[in-house]
């Protein structure tokens, strides 16, 4: 695709137009006239170019002959999730939806992980983290702790694609700064408009993308981050006695998610450097990814399924740090009582303020 350039006024940032009368680029906002050759020399055409989000080195680690002979695949007919275990590990229920799983066959085909973070949190520790997660929840039904039934806890290795890259970017903002003053007769407000440009690069290391479509992304992302310093080279022995989720999001498809996170993070980083203005609005942004590389890793996760009043709840617990996340039932009566209390307090405060203003 051909690059498109939007020429901007170097003085106020507004779009320039070629004026046939003066044979120059002219700003309709501030009246500046810019020589065409001078504009090309200054290279002020900040990109409305298409982002270049290409990746050069995609994960492609393969298994050694015979390395997967003892590994089998179980499949869930309900949610479609697939898990990989060694032949000595029993897998009778899906860790995601708690439905029965069936043997699918020998493991084959997928890439071999580059790294694994071994489990550090035991089953008992994971249970204690779950109970701790229930503490202090205002709208949790009081009987939930006593009556919810933990159906099953599964120790599961979740597949992650990890992306390294350098993101070069150029962003233009329209910024406004206001100054107010007054004299004996009038109040004054002066508004200055600026075109603010930021250019530079940001390095990213191990941007994670969940490789499982069966596992809800919010449950995985909510228990991040993992400490990669404790990762080791992958060996099948680490899977002994555990389940391992089979990736269902290819690395090529995962690149799209990585691009989105890299682009968003880069733009946020650049925006944080534009300060001292009343308002800042991004107008143009161009991100160029280079030296992109990806690796494949397995991260530890406890998945806990509970049932309460016939409703199914799922929780995730970081198998390295113990961080816990999951949806909880809501006591609607307690919620509305709390809401009514807050409303009453707010109404009383407003009434008091109005009474004071009336007296004054």
């Amino acid at each position: 695709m051909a690059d498109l350039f939007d020429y901007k006024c170097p003085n106020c940032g507004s779009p320039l137009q070629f004026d046939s009368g003066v044979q120059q680029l002219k700003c309709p906002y501030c009246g500046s006239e810019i020589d065409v050759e001078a504009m090309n020399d200054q290279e002020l055409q900040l990109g409305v170019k298409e982002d270049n989000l290409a990746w050069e080195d995609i994960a492609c680690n393969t298994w050694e002959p015979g390395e997967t002979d003892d590994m089998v695949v179980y499949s869930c007919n309900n949610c479609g999730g697939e898990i990989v275990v060694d032949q000595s590990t029993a897998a009778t229920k899906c860790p995601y939806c708690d439905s029965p799983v069936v043997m699918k066959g020998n493991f084959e085909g997928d890439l071999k992980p580059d790294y694994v973070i071994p489990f550090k949190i035991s089953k008992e520790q994971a249970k204690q983290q779950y109970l701790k997660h229930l503490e202090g929840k205002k709208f949790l039904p009081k009987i939930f702790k006593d009556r919810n039934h933990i159906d099953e806890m599964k120790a599961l290795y979740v597949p992650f694609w990890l992306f390294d890259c350098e993101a070069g970017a150029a962003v233009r903002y329209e910024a406004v700064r206001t100054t107010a003053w007054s004299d004996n007769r009038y109040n004054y407000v002066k508004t200055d408009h600026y075109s603010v440009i930021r250019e530079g690069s940001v390095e990213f290391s191990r941007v994670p993308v969940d490789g499982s479509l069966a596992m809800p992304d919010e449950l995985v992302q909510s228990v991040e981050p993992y400490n990669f310093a404790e990762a080791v080279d992958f060996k099948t022995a680490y899977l002994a006695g555990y389940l391992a989720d089979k990736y269902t999001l290819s690395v090529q498809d995962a690149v799209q998610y990585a691009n989105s996170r890299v682009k968003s993070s880069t733009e946020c980083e650049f925006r944080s450097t534009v300060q001292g203005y009343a308002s800042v609005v991004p107008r143009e942004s161009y991100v160029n990814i280079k030296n992109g590389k990806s690796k494949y890793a397995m991260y530890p996760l406890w998945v806990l399924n509970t049932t309460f009043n016939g409703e199914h709840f799922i929780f995730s617990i970081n198998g390295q740090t113990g961080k816990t996340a999951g949806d909880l039932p809501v006591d609607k009566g307690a919620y509305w009582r709390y809401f009514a209390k807050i409303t009453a307090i707010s109404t009383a405060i407003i009434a008091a303020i109005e009474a004071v203003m009336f007296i004054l």
Side-chain angles (χ1 to χ4, degrees):
M1 178 180 293
D3 290 340
L4 301 175
F5 297 101
D6 189 8
Y7 291 90
K8 299 296 183 180
C9 176
N11 297 317
C12 70
S14 298
L16 294 173
Q17 299 175 356
F18 182 77
D19 190 311
S20 60
V22 296
Q23 290 293 295
Q24 289 185 331
L25 293 167
K26 189 171 183 178
C27 177
Y29 184 79
C30 68
S32 299
E33 296 180 359
I34 311 294
D35 182 75
V36 174
E37 293 299 327
M39 174 60 80
N40 285 332
D41 291 342
Q42 293 174 34
E43 294 183 351
L44 293 177
Q45 317 95 301
L46 178 61
V48 286
K49 298 187 294 182
E50 183 178 353
D51 289 330
N52 177 22
L53 305 177
W55 292 82
E56 302 161 8
D57 183 3
I58 298 296
C60 58
N61 198 15
T62 57
W63 300 93
E64 297 294 330
E67 196 172 6
T68 63
D69 288 351
D70 293 330
M71 298 167 65
V72 295
V73 178
Y74 286 86
S75 178
C76 176
N77 290 329
N78 183 46
C79 71
E82 293 188 352
I83 51 177
V84 180
V85 299
D86 64 2
Q87 291 183 350
S88 63
T89 303
T92 58
K93 289 187 177 181
C94 175
Y96 304 123
C97 66
D98 211 32
S99 299
V101 294
V102 296
M103 173 75 77
K104 185 175 182 180
N106 291 331
F107 175 76
E108 59 183 14
D110 288 348
L111 298 178
K112 175 183 177 181
D114 297 287
Y115 307 106
V116 59
I117 295 180
F119 271 89
K120 292 183 65 176
I121 301 296
S122 67
K123 184 174 184 178
E124 183 58 34
Q125 289 173 323
K127 185 176 181 180
Q128 293 304 315
Q129 289 296 125
Y130 161 71
L131 295 176
K132 185 178 179 180
H133 179 69
L134 303 182
E135 296 176 359
K137 301 297 189 294
K138 289 186 177 181
F139 306 124
L140 181 69
K142 293 183 179 180
I143 61 174
F144 181 81
K145 274 189 178 183
D146 300 326
R147 297 189 181 180
N148 83 93
H149 172 66
I150 299 178
D151 300 320
E152 197 164 15
M153 295 181 63
K154 293 289 189 181
L156 176 72
Y157 280 108
V158 177
F160 273 88
W161 301 111
L162 308 178
F163 295 92
D164 298 342
C165 71
E166 180 180 345
V171 186
R172 184 180 73 84
Y173 307 89
E174 288 185 5
V176 173
R177 182 178 290 154
T178 58
T179 306
W181 72 95
S182 61
D183 55 25
N184 293 332
R185 299 181 62 187
Y186 301 104
N187 294 323
Y188 304 91
V189 176
K190 178 186 177 185
T191 303
D192 295 312
H193 297 265
Y194 300 87
S195 179
V196 182
I197 295 176
R198 291 289 186 266
E199 296 184 12
S201 63
V202 182
E203 291 188 0
F204 290 87
S205 179
R206 295 183 293 276
V207 176
V209 176
D210 175 17
S212 170
L213 295 175
M215 185 69 176
D217 289 340
E218 60 273 14
L219 281 179
V220 177
Q221 295 172 3
S222 296
V223 298
E224 294 179 1
Y226 285 86
N227 180 12
F228 189 81
E230 296 180 352
V232 296
D233 291 340
F234 178 83
K235 298 288 191 301
T236 54
Y238 288 107
L239 300 185
Y242 295 95
L243 307 177
D245 195 355
K246 182 180 179 183
Y247 71 80
T248 46
L249 180 69
S250 70
V251 64
Q252 290 80 10
D253 291 334
V255 164
Q256 300 178 28
Y257 294 90
N259 285 343
S260 177
R261 296 188 74 168
V262 168
K263 189 173 188 294
S264 176
S265 297
T266 300
E267 291 172 342
C268 286
E269 186 67 22
F270 278 37
R271 173 61 182 86
S272 68
T273 69
V274 184
Q275 301 179 1
Y277 299 95
S279 67
V280 178
V281 179
R283 291 303 184 192
E284 296 168 347
S285 174
Y286 170 62
V287 177
N288 174 52
I289 289 179
K290 61 181 181 179
N291 300 324
K293 300 179 181 179
S294 66
K295 295 294 183 180
Y296 175 29
M298 303 295 285
Y299 285 177
L301 189 74
W302 281 98
V303 181
L304 186 150
N305 289 278
T306 68
T307 302
F308 177 70
N309 287 346
E311 191 173 355
H312 179 73
F313 297 90
I314 182 172
F315 298 86
S316 59
I317 304 167
N318 188 311
Q320 180 191 39
T321 67
K323 187 176 180 180
T324 305
D327 291 331
L328 291 168
V330 174
D331 184 337
K332 295 181 179 179
Y335 172 81
W336 287 112
R337 286 193 298 271
Y338 180 82
F339 180 78
K341 181 179 179 181
I342 295 298
T343 302
I345 293 174
S346 300
T347 302
I349 292 174
I350 293 173
I353 293 174
E354 291 177 343
V356 171
M357 293 178 65
F358 178 78
I359 293 174
L360 296 177

